[in-house]
Each structure stands twice: as structure tokens, then as C-alpha cells.
Amino acid sequence: MAVFLTATLVMVPAIVFGALRSGVDSIFHARWQEAFARQFWAGDLYPRWLMDLNDGFGSPAFFVYPPLSHFVTALLHPLFPNSSMIALKLGLSAWLAMLASGLACLFWLRRAFPEAPRAALAGALIYLLTPYHLYINVYQRGAFAEVWAFVWPPLTLMMLTAPDRLSGRTIAVTALTLAGLFTTHAPSILIAGPAYGLYALILDLKDRRPIRLTTLALSALLGLLLAGGYLGTALTHSAYIDTAALFSGRNLASNWLLGGAAWPDPGIELYVHVASALTFGPGLLIATVALARSRTAARIQAVAALAFLLPALVLMSVLSRPIWELHLPLDRVQFPWRFLLLATIGLSLAVTAAAAEARPRLSRVLPFAVIIVGLLVNIGFTLLPERLPASIDPESITRASPGDDSWDAPEYRLVSRVEVQGLFAPAERVRLIEGEGKVVVRDWSPRRIRLAFDLKSEGVVAIRQFAYPGWRASAGGLVEGTKVLQIAAPAGRSEIELRLEPLLAERMGWWASLCGLLILAFIRIAPRLMAKRRL
């Protein structure tokens, strides 16, 4: 109940007042969600291509971007179908994510400290109320997927905490939590994945058996298969978008290190530095105290807390510049401050380990103290200077139709506005650019367009969709080397259908997911069948 009430209280500004509008990324998540939900409920069960974005030229956002947070939010669409309700819908979804993350952390810490439920509650409340999770990700950045990403690590750690033998159920559930993180915010798996390994190793060393590491390895393989439907395109279609907008220039990871040169964005720099001080300082101190004073069980968890906090601090600081300048796959984290996810886990675990052996009177008041201090800290963040402007036009969030300001994030624009300016009238979908005759749109749906032609001679028609790998025409021929779709049509009357067909990687990804589901079913069903045979 305390987690529910706290999550609800801190999300009131987002739900009631639409405060998510002020987030830096909010406008893009709002446009994605508006298009995603509309296409989903129209029958496009995985809306990878958002056909109305980018002024109606289409966006490949969900060929690359993890979709799970938007799938969950799309389920709210029948209750809030109007575009004017998009901020409310995002706010409710973020509230669900905050509540789920707090409960997930509570479940993990209760399993790790079964005799200290109040200490576990205090740790879960800290996880919920750390300024990085609440203020920076929710209210300042509007980092919608990252808010949802906080749900999964505690669940994975919970499954790794208690197994004393290899269990099909444990492998299956752990694989689902890993697949959940992959499909929610893939960069977070680069942060959390090694931490899972460290946690499993520490607990296995205590028991002198590699049960947890084996469980994690098998679960990771199964989780990769389950997430294949997303990963198939995420790992290959990055070649077709503007990745330079994500990982070069100002977005180089080495530009965002604690203790280094001034950051490209002074607003987020101040917030992250303060949040880091409030997370690493108490976390390292409390974990060290718990390590020195606690009994064996709590001491092991204190070691794990330090194993989360210390690497996170190093990788966020200027000490790690040589690592970031190697341009390893770790670069896909993009911003080193995202290691505050790991630091938040470490702080929550450290407080729980220290409080697990506290006096009963302190244990009773600690959750209330955490709530009060957490609220005051987050309110204090609103008073910091250099805040990012909360002045996004509410109407611009909901606009996602041709002719409006519906442009996607820079990496998914494919072509600059200047290059397509003037090709079509504001509401025009097709234009005959060569030949004489008439072209009528028979069907205009995601990844499928059907056109009817009545031409006096061979002609070429431009179509208001970006050219993208996978477009195929049932007849005629697509003109190659163009910024937008163009098709050469024969003289006379004809109908031509264009489809954005799945490439090999997309098909292979779905096959991988199907294999993962079959393995998951086998793991759950086989033991029951074997038990029945024994009877």
C-alpha cells in the first residue's frame, strides 16, 4: 500500500496537470504514441512504420526503437481515444511504470531480506523516489521508455536471489524479464546485463556453486530468442537511419562525463551532477557501513551494492574517458549518466542491507522518513537553476497528420525538410510527375498502399512516403535512387499495390521469437508431463 500511495502521489502532476508535456523527449513520445496506438487498433499489430509522421512521409522509428512501453500505453487508447488526451495517457502509463518499478523492487528486496520487510519497503521507496528515476527521467527529460525500463532489473535480480538448484521455472521467468528489458529500452541491457552477472557471481561465490550464473546464461539465450521479433530489425535497420544524430557530435558519450569539460547541455549537467552526489554519496557510505557491521547475509548484499555503485561511478566519471574513446558497443548507452540506473539499484540495496539489522523502532519509522526526504529532494530539484524550459506547445504534441508539424526525432527523418519541401500540397498523397492521366488512392494503410491509374501514356507517380528498404510494387517498377517513393506505371487502366515487405532480418527475428516461445512452453510443460508419467 505504501508503494501504491507514494507512486500515485508523485505522479499527480503528470496525470492531473499533464506535466509530462515539459519533458525534453515528451513531444516525440507523444507523437509516436498517437500514431502507434491508432495503427495498432486499426489492425497493424506491430506498428514499426508510422506512416503519418514526418509530415506524412512516414517514420521507421519502431524498426529500431524498443516498442514495449508504447504497446502498454496503446492499450489505454480505447479509454482515451482523442488526441487531446495524449498527455493524460502518457501520464497514466508512466504512473503504471513507477508503481510497477516500486513493487518489483519490493518483491526483490523481500526475497533477499525475508526477515526484514520494513527494510525492504524502505529500499523499494528509495528506488521509486531517487531524483534520477522520478524527477529527471519523468519530469525533466520525459524519458518514457527509461521510466518503464526501471521495472525489469529488480525482477531479474529477484529471480537470481534465491535459487538453490537449476529450475525451469526460474530460467523461464528470468528470460521473460530480460526480454522485457530488451524490448523496453535496449541501452539499459548494456548497463544492467553485466550487473546481473556480478550479482550472480557474488551470490554463487557465497554458496560455492555456479547455479545463478548458469541460470543467467541460459536465461539470456532464451531472452534473446524471445526478443527476436524486435532485435531482428533493431540490429540491422540502424544502417538505414541517421545514427550520426544519435552517437556523434554533441552526443558522443565522452562529452557527458562527471568531472570533465562542460557538457553540451548545461541544464542536464547540473541535474545529473546533483542527482549523482545524492545517489553515490549516501550509497557508498551506507554500503560500507553495512559491510562492516552486518551479519553474513546482509554483508553479501552490501558487497553487491558496492559492485553496482563503484563501476557505475567510474563509468560516469572522467576516469572512464579512455574506455568511451575506444567506441566499443558500450557506446550504444549514448549517455553515461544512464548508469544512474545501476547506482539507484545499489543505493536501494545498500539501505536495505543496513536497515535489515537496525533496531525495531528505527525500522518502523524508516519508510516514512524515506518518503518525506525523497519528496523534499525532488521538490528541491524544481528550485535548481538552468532548468530546461517547460514550454512545449500542448497542441504540437498531438499533431501527427500530413501538413502539420509532425516531424519525428532527427534520426528517423530519413530526409531533411528542405529536400521534400514543395513536392506535395499539404494534404496531397500522390502526384503524377510524368505523363497524363489520373491517379486515385484506393487504400492507404501502414506498409500497404493501393493505387488506381488511368493514364494516357506511361507515367511516373510520386507517393508521399519515404523510400525505405523493403518497399515492393505488384506491377510497374519503383524508381531507384529517389528520396520518396516513385513508381513507373503503364499506359491505360491498372491497379498497383505497394507493400513495405519484411526483410530477411525481420522474418528471422519472428522465427527466433517463435522458437523462444516454444522453448518457454517446453520448459513449463515438460516437467508436468514427466511427473504424470511417474504416477
Side-chain angles (χ1 to χ4, degrees):
M1 181 60 72
V3 172
F4 173 82
L5 292 176
T6 304
T8 302
L9 176 64
V10 298
M11 292 303 293
V12 164
I15 298 170
V16 177
F17 305 111
L20 277 178
R21 288 192 179 117
S22 64
V24 177
D25 294 338
S26 294
I27 191 166
F28 297 121
H29 282 290
R31 290 173 179 169
W32 285 347
Q33 176 55 210
E34 178 68 14
F36 191 99
R38 188 169 58 246
Q39 290 183 198
F40 176 79
W41 286 100
D44 183 10
L45 297 183
Y46 189 164
R48 298 183 194 266
W49 181 262
L50 304 180
M51 67 182 310
D52 285 339
L53 289 193
N54 287 324
D55 199 20
F57 288 93
S59 167
F62 286 96
F63 280 102
V64 177
Y65 200 84
L68 188 56
S69 60
H70 283 274
F71 271 119
V72 174
T73 311
L75 297 178
L76 300 173
H77 184 72
L79 300 175
F80 308 100
N82 297 329
S83 296
S84 60
M85 296 179 173
I86 189 68
L88 173 60
K89 190 163 60 170
L90 289 174
L92 285 171
S93 182
W95 168 73
L96 286 173
M98 294 294 289
L99 174 60
S101 68
L103 291 174
C105 192
L106 180 62
F107 296 155
W108 164 44
L109 294 175
R110 278 186 173 176
R111 176 173 286 192
F113 301 90
E115 298 178 358
R118 290 185 181 276
L121 176 59
L125 290 170
I126 285 175
Y127 191 71
L128 189 64
L129 292 170
T130 50
Y132 177 67
H133 185 20
L134 175 58
Y135 191 84
I136 293 177
N137 275 346
V138 175
Y139 289 108
Q140 188 196 36
R141 295 180 59 224
F144 191 59
E146 290 174 64
V147 174
W148 271 100
F150 267 71
V151 173
W152 302 108
L155 295 176
T156 304
L157 295 169
M158 178 185 72
M159 298 310 299
L160 294 174
T161 296
D164 56 2
R165 59 184 176 83
L166 278 179
S167 160
R169 177 182 176 276
T170 300
I171 292 170
V173 177
T174 306
L176 287 171
T177 66
L178 293 171
L181 187 54
F182 270 121
T183 55
T184 301
H185 189 248
S188 291
I189 202 73
L190 296 173
I191 297 169
Y196 297 155
L198 274 175
Y199 190 68
L201 177 62
I202 290 168
L203 297 185
D204 279 347
L205 287 174
K206 179 195 72 170
D207 296 339
R208 298 183 181 179
R209 292 188 302 167
I211 298 296
R212 296 171 183 84
L213 282 173
T214 305
T215 297
L216 181 60
L218 294 174
S219 300
L221 292 173
L222 181 54
L224 282 168
L225 287 175
L226 291 170
Y230 157 67
L231 292 174
T233 58
L235 295 174
T236 56
H237 281 242
S238 58
Y240 308 137
I241 66 170
D242 184 10
T243 53
L246 290 170
F247 304 113
S248 64
R250 75 191 299 271
N251 287 336
L252 276 173
S254 55
N255 290 335
W256 307 88
L257 296 173
L258 300 177
W263 289 10
D265 187 332
I268 192 69
E269 179 180 13
L270 176 62
Y271 281 91
V272 169
H273 276 72
V274 175
S276 298
L278 293 173
T279 305
F280 287 110
L284 291 170
L285 177 61
I286 294 170
T288 303
V289 170
L291 182 62
R293 296 186 176 182
S294 300
R295 296 192 308 264
T296 302
R299 186 178 295 126
I300 291 296
Q301 296 293 344
V303 170
L306 289 171
F308 294 148
L309 287 159
L310 289 172
L313 178 58
V314 170
L315 287 168
M316 286 178 59
S317 76
V318 71
L319 295 174
S320 64
R321 183 180 296 278
I323 297 175
W324 293 107
E325 289 180 347
L326 291 174
H327 301 297
L328 302 170
L330 188 65
D331 273 5
R332 297 299 173 178
V333 169
Q334 194 179 30
F335 303 115
W337 77 62
R338 285 175 168 158
F339 276 89
L340 278 169
L341 165 63
L342 197 55
T344 300
I345 296 170
L347 174 61
S348 301
L349 183 57
V351 169
T352 309
E357 298 178 8
R359 295 177 181 177
R361 182 178 297 178
L362 177 61
S363 296
R364 284 194 293 270
V365 301
L366 185 59
F368 299 101
V370 167
I371 292 173
I372 293 170
V373 173
L375 290 175
L376 290 175
V377 166
N378 282 280
I379 291 171
F381 267 70
T382 66
L383 306 177
L384 291 176
E386 299 288 349
R387 286 198 301 152
L388 297 177
S391 58
I392 295 174
D393 176 10
E395 293 185 4
S396 71
I397 288 182
T398 61
R399 288 199 290 248
S401 58
D404 289 323
D405 183 14
S406 60
W407 285 87
D408 204 345
E411 58 269 24
Y412 301 120
R413 292 178 184 176
L414 302 183
V415 175
S416 70
R417 301 187 193 202
V418 174
E419 291 178 273
V420 294
Q421 190 173 16
L423 289 180
F424 298 89
E428 190 178 31
R429 287 177 167 172
V430 296
R431 173 174 288 188
L432 188 63
I433 57 176
E434 290 184 21
E436 282 187 62
K438 186 168 65 172
V439 185
V440 177
V441 177
R442 297 292 191 198
D443 182 32
W444 189 270
S445 54
R447 302 182 72 161
R448 190 182 72 172
I449 298 169
R450 187 159 54 90
L451 305 176
F453 296 85
D454 186 2
L455 303 180
K456 295 180 180 178
S457 60
E458 292 184 355
V460 176
V461 173
I463 301 162
R464 197 190 193 107
Q465 291 284 275
F466 285 137
Y468 193 77
W471 280 109
R472 303 287 186 267
S474 62
L478 288 174
V479 180
E480 297 183 0
T482 58
K483 302 293 185 182
V484 300
L485 287 179
Q486 293 184 19
I487 186 169
R493 294 185 176 180
S494 61
E495 281 200 2
I496 298 177
E497 185 173 86
L498 295 94
R499 285 181 175 270
L500 183 53
E501 299 284 358
L503 299 179
L504 177 62
E506 185 174 351
R507 295 195 298 271
M508 293 296 291
W510 284 123
W511 280 111
S513 288
L514 178 59
C515 289
L517 289 171
L518 292 174
I519 295 171
L520 193 68
F522 177 79
I523 288 173
R524 298 299 294 132
I525 294 172
R528 298 177 185 178
L529 295 177
M530 292 174 67
K532 286 183 179 179
R533 283 190 178 184
R534 289 178 191 142
L535 295 175

